[in-house]
Amino acid sequence: MRVWILFVLCLAASARAAPAEEEAFVEELVTEEPVVEEPEVGANPVQIEVGEFDEAIEIVEDDAVENACLNHHCKKGKVCEVDESNTPMCVCQDPTTCPPAEAEFEHVCGTDNKTYDSSCHFFATKCAEGTKKGHKLHLDYVGPCKFIEPCVDSELHEFPLRMRDWLKNVLVTLYERDLDHNLLTEKQKLRVKKIYENEKRLQAGDHSLDLLAHDFKKNYNMYIFPVHWQFGQLDQHPADGYLTHSELSPLRAPLIPMEHCTTRFFEECDADSDNYIALEEWAACFGVKEQDIDKELVI
C-alpha cells in the first residue's frame, strides 16, 4: 500500500490545478475473477498489496501438519474449512472475525453507499449476502463513503491531461529508483531512458492544464509508451489484451476520492459498451493516435 500511496500523491498534487475541488463519483466496476497467482507487489506501482482488492487469498493455518487447507486458495470473503473426509472447501467468512481497521484509510465504500471497516469486512459481507444479493454489491472506492460530485464534460476533458503526465512521471521515478530493485524490466528501462534523458521533458510539478495540454502536443512521443505500459500493468488477470472492471480496480478505487471523473472516464473508454476496454480504446482515451498504437509496447 505504501508504494501505491507514494504515486497517488503525485496525481493529487496535479489535481489541485483543476478549476474546482474534485471529489469522487460513485460506481463500482469490480467483478469477481477466477482465482489466479498474485503478482509480486512492487512490480507495478499501482498494484495494491495482496488482500486489498484482488479477490484471491491464501489461507495458511499455524498447524500445518496434514492440513488440507495449507495450499488451498479461496476468493476474498471466504475461508477454507475441511469436511469430515478432510477435503478442503471454501465457505463465507464471518465478518466479525476480520481484524479491526487500524486507520481510516483502511475503510472502503460499497455500492450500497455504506462504509465498511476494511476490505475484509466488505467482502465477507458480500459473500454472506448470497449469490443473488452479493452480485449486486461491489466495492466502489477506498475510504469512507461521502458525497460524490458529478463529472461535467469540461472536467472530463481535463482528466487525461493530468493522468498522462502522472503516468510519465511514475515511470521516470521508477527509472531513477530502480537500481537493483527490479521495478522495471530491461526493455522497459530502455524505453524510459529515452524519456528520462530528453532535455525537453516537462519536469514533475504542479502545472496548469494549459501547460500540460501544450506539452502533450509538443512532446507527444514521450507519452506513447507510458500509456501502453500502464495498460500492460493492469492487464494481468488474465493478460488477454482487454481490461475488465476487476483489473481496473487497483488503479480506479484509490483515485476516485481525489479525481471524481475517474469512473466516468473509464466508462467512456469502453466505447462499444461491452464491459471490456481493448488497447485501442484505452489508447484513444489518452489521445494516442491510431497509427501509434502498438501491442509490442505493452511490455
Side-chain angles (χ1 to χ4, degrees):
M1 193 75 176
R2 293 191 298 271
V3 176
W4 166 239
I5 293 175
L6 172 64
F7 297 110
V8 169
L9 290 177
C10 296
L11 185 59
S14 299
R16 289 196 296 269
E21 190 71 22
E22 299 182 347
E23 294 187 6
F25 182 68
V26 178
E27 183 168 336
E28 172 52 21
L29 298 179
V30 179
T31 58
E32 292 191 354
E33 291 294 311
V35 178
V36 295
E37 292 298 325
E38 300 291 348
E40 179 182 356
V41 175
N44 174 10
V46 301
Q47 175 66 47
I48 303 301
E49 292 189 25
V50 175
E52 288 290 337
F53 298 101
D54 295 332
E55 298 200 14
I57 58 175
E58 180 178 356
I59 307 301
V60 180
E61 301 283 351
D62 291 334
D63 184 11
V65 179
E66 297 184 359
N67 184 359
C69 282
L70 181 61
N71 294 313
H72 190 75
H73 297 265
C74 294
K75 291 183 178 181
K76 189 65 178 177
K78 294 186 176 184
V79 293
C80 180
E81 292 183 357
V82 295
D83 59 17
E84 295 179 355
S85 61
N86 201 37
T87 300
M89 58 182 179
C90 294
V91 299
C92 289
Q93 181 177 3
D94 183 349
T96 62
T97 64
C98 292
E102 297 180 358
E104 185 174 298
F105 69 79
E106 293 184 50
H107 300 332
V108 297
C109 182
T111 50
D112 56 354
N113 201 35
K114 177 181 177 181
T115 298
Y116 292 84
D117 201 39
S118 67
S119 60
C120 175
H121 291 83
F122 170 81
F123 283 112
T125 301
K126 174 180 171 65
C127 181
E129 285 189 356
T131 302
K132 186 175 180 179
K133 291 185 177 180
H135 279 299
K136 296 181 180 180
L137 176 62
H138 300 290
L139 186 149
D140 198 33
Y141 54 87
V142 175
C145 297
K146 59 183 179 180
F147 172 73
I148 306 297
E149 290 185 358
C151 174
V152 300
D153 292 344
S154 59
E155 294 172 323
L156 184 65
H157 175 72
E158 297 167 357
F159 182 84
L161 296 176
R162 292 188 293 273
M163 195 69 179
R164 284 189 305 245
D165 183 63
W166 177 70
L167 290 178
K168 181 191 66 179
N169 289 322
V170 165
L171 273 174
V172 169
T173 301
L174 289 177
Y175 179 81
E176 291 175 326
R177 299 182 179 183
D178 194 81
L179 297 177
D180 298 324
H181 299 300
N182 298 319
L183 300 176
L184 297 172
T185 66
E186 291 304 316
K187 288 184 178 180
Q188 291 169 345
K189 289 178 185 178
L190 290 176
R191 294 283 182 179
V192 182
K193 182 179 180 181
K194 295 180 180 179
I195 300 174
Y196 178 75
E197 294 180 346
N198 195 318
E199 296 179 356
K200 297 181 180 179
R201 175 171 59 88
L202 181 66
Q203 300 294 319
D206 188 8
H207 304 301
S208 68
L209 295 174
D210 288 340
L211 178 58
L212 293 176
H214 174 75
D215 188 66
F216 177 66
K217 183 178 181 180
K218 183 179 179 181
N219 299 308
Y220 165 78
N221 288 332
M222 291 190 200
Y223 294 90
I224 296 176
F225 178 66
V227 171
H228 284 76
W229 168 80
Q230 183 61 88
F231 184 90
Q233 297 303 297
L234 294 171
D235 183 26
Q236 299 287 335
H237 309 304
D240 57 0
Y242 296 91
L243 298 182
T244 63
H245 294 171
S246 181
E247 287 175 316
L248 281 170
S249 182
L251 176 62
R252 174 187 174 276
L255 277 178
I256 291 179
M258 295 176 294
E259 289 278 359
H260 69 285
C261 282
T262 299
T263 293
R264 185 180 171 191
F265 176 77
F266 289 133
E267 284 179 342
E268 298 201 2
C269 280
D270 182 17
D272 57 8
S273 300
D274 64 350
N275 295 323
Y276 294 92
I277 299 178
L279 175 60
E280 292 76 13
E281 293 174 315
W282 175 267
C285 278
F286 286 100
V288 175
K289 301 174 184 176
E290 184 176 357
Q291 63 267 27
D292 296 318
I293 300 174
D294 186 357
K295 293 181 179 180
E296 298 298 321
L297 294 180
V298 183
I299 55 178

